[in-house]
Structure formats: C-alpha cells, structure tokens
Amino acid sequence: MDIEQFRKAGHQAIDRICDFNYSVEKMDVVSSVEPGYLRKALPSEPPEQGEDFSKIADDYQQLIVPGLTQWQHPSFFAYFPAACTFEGVLGDLYASSVTNPGFNWSSSPACTELEAIMTDWAAKLLGLDKAFLNSNETGGGVVQTSASDSVLTATVAARSLYSKLHPDVSQDKLLFYTTSQTHSVGAKAALILGIKVRSLEVNLSDNFGLRGETLRNALEEDIRAGLHPFIIVATIGTTSSGAIDHLNEICVVAQEYSLWMHVDAAWAGVTLSCPENREICHLSFVNRYVQSFCVNFHKWGLVNFDASILWVRNREYLTDALDVTPPFLRTAQSDAGTVIDYRNWHLGLGRRFRSLKFWFVLRSYGVEGFRQHIRKGIELNKLFSSWVSSSTLVELATSPSFGLTVLRMKAPKHPTASQDFLTRKLFECLSARKDIMVTQTVLQGIFCIRFAFGAERTEERHIVAAFNLLCDEARKVNEEFKIRNAEHDKVITVKSLRN
Ligand SMILES: *Cc1c(COP(=O)(O)O)cnc(C)c1O
C-alpha cells in the first residue's frame, strides 16, 4: 500500500467507523455466530499474492463485524463498560502511525515525557496526593497494559523490597493477601511468582469489604505459623459487587506490620474524579498509606483499551526490582539520572505510546466533561437500582455501588423452586436474548446477576427498556414455576420519569 492508497483506504475506514457508530444501537448486542465460524470462512493459509485492500476491508465488514460482541452497544451491561471514545481512537491512530517502542527516554523523548505528564494529570484528576506525581521525582505514574500487569509489577517490587530487608527469609515463607472478593489478578500474580496466597474472608454484613480486624487476626495467625506476609491487595470497587475494602481500618494494620498495600481501583478509581466520591473510597487513606494504586481508564474512564495507570509512592522500589541494563540500553541521560526510563517501571521492554490517547481525551472532555460522564453512570445506576429495590419480582443482592447493581429473584412466598434456582433461570432467559447482555456472579454462595452501567452511549431510555425486559423475563420465570408474589411490576414509561 502506498501513501495515496492509504489516504483512500483511511478515508473509507473513518467513513465506515462513523456508519458503524450510527448503526450500533440497531445491532444485536450478542453475536449469533457459532464456534469455529471464522475458520470455515477464511482460507487456511495466507494468500500467495498480495490482495487489493478494498477486498480486505469488505471482508472485515462481512466476516469480522458479525462475530463481535457489541461492547459499545447502549444495552451492553455485562462485565464493565469498555471505554471507546473518538478521541481515544484518534490517539491510537496517531500513536500507531509513528510506532515507537519508547522504552528509554532517548528512544523517544515525547513518549516518555507525555506519559509522565499525563499520569500526573490523571493523578490530579482523581485527587491523589503529590507523593504519586512524577514531578516530585520520588513517586510517579506509569501506563501499564492492564490492572493485572499493575498488580504483578507492584508485587515484584514489594517482594524485592522485602527480600532486601529480610535476606534470610526463604521465598516459600512469603505470603500474599487478597480477599475472597479480590479480582483473580491477585491470585494470578501470586501464581506467576510462585508465592503462597491467603484469601481473607469478607461478609455480606460488611458489604463484602475487608475489615481491619480480619487482617490483624490473619497476620497474627500466619506470623505465628512462621510465614512472612509482605503484601496485601485491597480493592476499591470489586468486580463482583463493587465492594470497597475498609481502607480506613486496614491501612493502619498494614502499616503496623510493614505490609505493602496495593490498591486495585481498576474499575471504580475513576469515580474519584468527582469530589463527592472521595470519602467513601477512603481517598485520604490511599494518599497517606498506600504504596501502589491502580486505575483502569479503559473501563469507565473514556480512554480506549489499554489504559491502566499504576502509581507508586516510591519509584526506586520499582526500578530496584526491574532495572536490568545491558550495555546497549545505556544512555547518557539515564546514566546522569535526569530522565525516566519507563522500561524499568514495567515487565516488558518496548511499550506502546498510550499517553497520547489520555492527552486527547482529557483535553477534549476537560475535567468537567469527565466528571459529567462519571456522574451520569452513577445517576443511571441509582435510578435502575431504585426500581429493583421497589420491585415485586427482583431484589438487590447487595448495596448498589457507583455504576453497578447486583440483583436476584425475590424469594417465593410459597416455594415451588428455590430463590437461587429462579435467579439462574432468569439469567438463562436473559442470556438467550440478543438485545441485552449481562453477567452472573456468586456472592457468598448466592447466585446473582450484575448490571454494569457507564458506557458512554447508555441513556435513561436504555435502562428503562432494560428494567422492563428484566421484569418481563422474571414474570415468565415466575409463571413457569407457578409463583405468585404480588401484583406484577408495572411497565415504566420514559415519560413517567424525571427529565
Ligand atoms: C477489571 C478488573 C481487573 C482486571 O483488569 P485488567 O486490566 O483486565 O487486568 C482487576 N480488578 C478489578 C477490580 C477489575 O474490575
């Protein structure tokens, strides 16, 4: 492809992306293809002769788009939203056009410098303490691929620090704490590093947030057993239910026992952009005690995947653990210690130029626009969860959290089937539909259904439709099992709502 062919194909691509955006709402959320559909449609080998790009572009439309789950659909409520803004698309496009592995400052000064500034901007957006700013030259932020990479990187740093301070402790005595609600990223990091994990119990009565007392008891027990706990991964906004660990209690205990605290705020961290959410997220404790903190902007935070930021209070712990400098990577600027070499802040060497999309998004939206987007997701969730809590068909399984509602079927008064069984049936019915997508979870043995809001395109009318559809399906489940609780929920009309 030459430059002029690229110009033509590029214009066509942008046109088609716009058309896609106009039509995505009319598409099914869930793809209808069968497993293996693509292998049947594609040749088993690459073509011997190069092909015309217009044919390749058409095949993308015909073969790939039908096999996509439409995460950008306004009725996609599964998992968590996956940010996709035009600013982010353009950031990726420009970044890709100057592909640049950016591992050292001198391998591309703009890549390193923009990342250092953008992670500072993001820290200020969220109200993080200046200890986490690159500009203070002690701590700092780095863009990682995912929250999984962030927790793994933090654990490598924590282990390295612990081993330096306790050279006689053997690796098999090290212990890594998570909770039963921590995302699997915690267990995975421990698995990769070959470290023992203990998952601490959390309860519905605490809204699934870890208490200081539980941590203290575990520490005492494990230390008595000759183990060496060195890190805890706490969460602000768990994936299952949006739970917030009681950082106000556990930070103090963690400090007393010199535990490294990593806070995984992958999903809910962006809510800190709105000052009204900072207290319930225990931001002041994050600012005072936490060693490393991670937020994914690629979920609710308007920056397209991948855009996970890891902030550390002390960058030396990262670089001490990860700096391996062969002669060919040495540079005058690094030797002088005047620049950041991001290769020493993550696991790989080369890295994508991801800060560009942060820059585009944060400038185009501004702090106000960003906050407005977050507040809209929270508002829609409040509305939806209020309908659930006054419903005769379904009920909240735990308190709604920011943009997440977790629900189940109401317990039948004259049981012909268990509550759990009915919720599973409801989930089966919802999953059989193509016009909505939700995911399941299990909380303390209770089967639940999650509705996650915060996608940019989701408006009030979509959650109205989602609630009515939920009631329709729940009603059918009750009818099938001859359950009569009370009068069936009335259909909500958009007109009946506040504007
Ligand atoms: C989504 C999520 C993760 C995993 O994020 P990746 O960036 O995909 O690794 C981890 N923790 C929480 C709380 C999450 O919501």
Side-chain angles (χ1 to χ4, degrees):
M1 189 181 279
D2 63 24
I3 297 175
E4 287 312 318
Q5 285 168 330
F6 171 68
R7 194 191 299 279
K8 192 165 158 241
H11 283 145
Q12 184 194 43
I14 299 289
D15 276 342
R16 288 188 171 178
I17 291 169
C18 292
D19 293 344
F20 170 82
N21 275 277
Y22 279 121
S23 61
V24 65
E25 186 169 351
K26 292 181 216 100
M27 294 177 169
D28 281 343
V29 188
V30 183
S31 163
S32 296
V33 302
E34 295 293 331
Y37 87 100
L38 197 53
R39 192 166 282 284
K40 286 194 201 118
L42 290 187
S44 54
E45 279 160 50
E48 208 54 47
Q49 306 295 328
E51 296 180 73
D52 186 50
F53 194 79
S54 64
K55 186 165 176 294
I56 304 171
D58 287 348
D59 281 352
Y60 168 80
Q61 297 293 89
Q62 272 153 35
L63 300 174
I64 303 301
V65 176
L68 296 175
T69 298
Q70 300 302 351
W71 284 65
Q72 305 315 320
H73 195 290
S75 300
F76 178 94
F77 307 120
Y79 310 105
F80 281 130
C84 183
T85 53
F86 294 123
E87 292 84 345
V89 171
L90 291 170
D92 265 344
L93 185 62
Y94 280 117
S96 171
S97 74
V98 291
T99 293
N100 204 313
F103 43 79
N104 280 348
W105 177 86
S106 57
S107 72
S108 210
C111 295
T112 297
E113 298 212 1
L114 188 63
E115 183 161 333
I117 299 165
M118 284 310 106
T119 51
D120 281 3
W121 277 20
K124 288 178 183 170
L125 172 72
L126 305 184
L128 292 184
D129 189 76
K130 58 183 185 311
F132 294 107
L133 299 181
N134 290 296
S135 58
N136 88 359
E137 298 188 358
T138 308
V142 53
V143 183
Q144 305 268 342
T145 306
S146 64
S148 314
D149 291 23
S150 293
V151 69
L152 182 57
T153 306
T155 311
V156 169
R159 179 179 66 174
S160 168
L161 174 67
Y162 194 87
S163 301
K164 210 163 139 189
L165 297 173
H166 310 273
D168 301 333
V169 174
S170 73
Q171 167 104 4
D172 64 335
K173 298 285 183 215
L174 296 182
L175 185 60
F176 179 112
Y177 284 138
T178 61
T179 80
S180 54
Q181 294 299 312
T182 307
H183 190 280
S184 55
V185 297
K188 197 161 180 178
L191 187 72
I192 292 168
L193 298 171
I195 297 169
K196 281 193 187 64
V197 196
R198 177 167 178 188
S199 161
L200 306 176
E201 270 314 313
V202 290
N203 298 305
L204 176 61
S205 54
D206 295 319
N207 255 329
F208 299 106
L210 178 67
R211 313 270 358 182
E213 176 89 359
T214 312
L215 176 61
R216 184 182 295 282
N217 291 342
L219 278 160
E220 284 170 5
E221 192 180 305
D222 291 325
I223 291 168
R224 229 180 293 125
L227 294 171
H228 292 259
F230 72 104
I231 185 170
I232 174 158
V233 176
T235 310
I236 297 177
T238 59
T239 313
S240 246
S241 71
I244 300 171
D245 287 329
H246 297 265
L247 294 180
N248 50 333
E249 299 171 6
I250 55 186
C251 280
V252 183
V253 181
Q255 194 188 39
E256 206 179 302
Y257 286 85
S258 304
L259 278 186
W260 179 297
M261 268 229 27
H262 175 78
V263 171
D264 177 7
W267 163 62
V270 291
T271 65
L272 292 168
S273 59
C274 308
E276 66 272 22
N277 299 322
R278 290 178 181 171
E279 199 176 329
I280 66 163
C281 290
H282 308 293
L283 180 64
S284 60
F285 290 87
V286 170
N287 279 337
R288 203 153 142 214
Y289 293 100
V290 164
Q291 279 297 341
S292 50
F293 186 68
C294 166
V295 176
N296 282 355
F297 280 73
H298 59 245
K299 284 181 168 167
W300 195 354
L302 296 168
V303 185
N304 304 25
F305 188 81
D306 45 344
S308 178
I309 302 186
L310 171 68
W311 285 279
V312 290
R313 189 176 293 280
N314 195 330
R315 62 172 77 172
E316 249 173 48
Y317 298 154
L318 276 190
T319 54
D320 280 357
L322 297 167
D323 186 356
V324 180
T325 304
F328 57 84
L329 289 177
R330 283 188 61 180
T331 64
Q333 296 84 0
S334 332
D335 287 351
T338 51
V339 294
I340 287 177
D341 287 332
Y342 271 128
R343 69 188 157 84
N344 298 326
W345 294 51
H346 75 151
L347 299 178
L349 172 66
R351 48 214 321 287
R352 301 202 313 116
F353 186 11
R354 292 172 285 212
S355 51
L356 204 52
K357 55 193 174 191
F358 278 92
W359 194 37
F360 288 4
V361 168
L362 293 177
R363 287 184 64 182
S364 178
Y365 278 78
V367 171
E368 269 317 308
F370 193 94
R371 286 181 178 151
Q372 216 169 29
H373 165 69
I374 299 297
R375 286 180 180 135
K376 180 176 132 194
I378 294 174
E379 273 309 305
L380 291 181
N381 187 54
K382 268 193 192 141
L383 213 48
F384 185 84
S385 60
S386 72
W387 302 332
V388 172
S389 56
S390 55
S391 164
T392 56
L393 296 160
V394 288
E395 66 183 20
L396 296 173
T398 178
S399 307
S401 173
F402 303 115
L404 180 66
T405 293
V406 185
L407 57 86
R408 58 177 175 161
M409 288 289 281
K410 261 201 175 348
K413 291 218 177 64
H414 309 288
T416 51
S418 77
Q419 187 174 14
D420 231 44
F421 177 84
L422 294 174
T423 311
R424 281 176 196 278
K425 281 283 160 198
L426 174 60
F427 182 67
E428 268 174 34
C429 297
L430 292 172
S431 302
R433 301 187 66 117
K434 302 287 180 201
D435 55 351
I436 189 171
M437 189 166 170
V438 292
T439 35
Q440 57 179 309
T441 192
V442 176
L443 290 173
Q444 249 179 8
I446 298 166
F447 186 87
C448 309
I449 303 174
R450 298 165 71 262
F451 278 77
F453 305 105
E456 229 206 337
R457 284 198 187 78
T458 305
E459 303 292 342
E460 199 162 298
R461 63 194 160 87
H462 302 111
I463 63 157
V464 167
F467 184 73
N468 286 333
L469 183 155
L470 173 72
C471 291
D472 277 349
E473 295 294 352
R475 211 173 284 130
K476 280 190 229 156
V477 169
N478 277 349
E479 274 157 19
E480 186 183 343
F481 295 93
K482 313 236 174 322
I483 287 160
R484 247 174 235 109
N485 280 344
E487 241 185 85
H488 288 158
D489 286 29
K490 286 201 207 74
V491 171
I492 296 174
T493 62
V494 186
K495 262 194 255 115
S496 72
L497 299 167
R498 55 153 189 87
N499 221 335

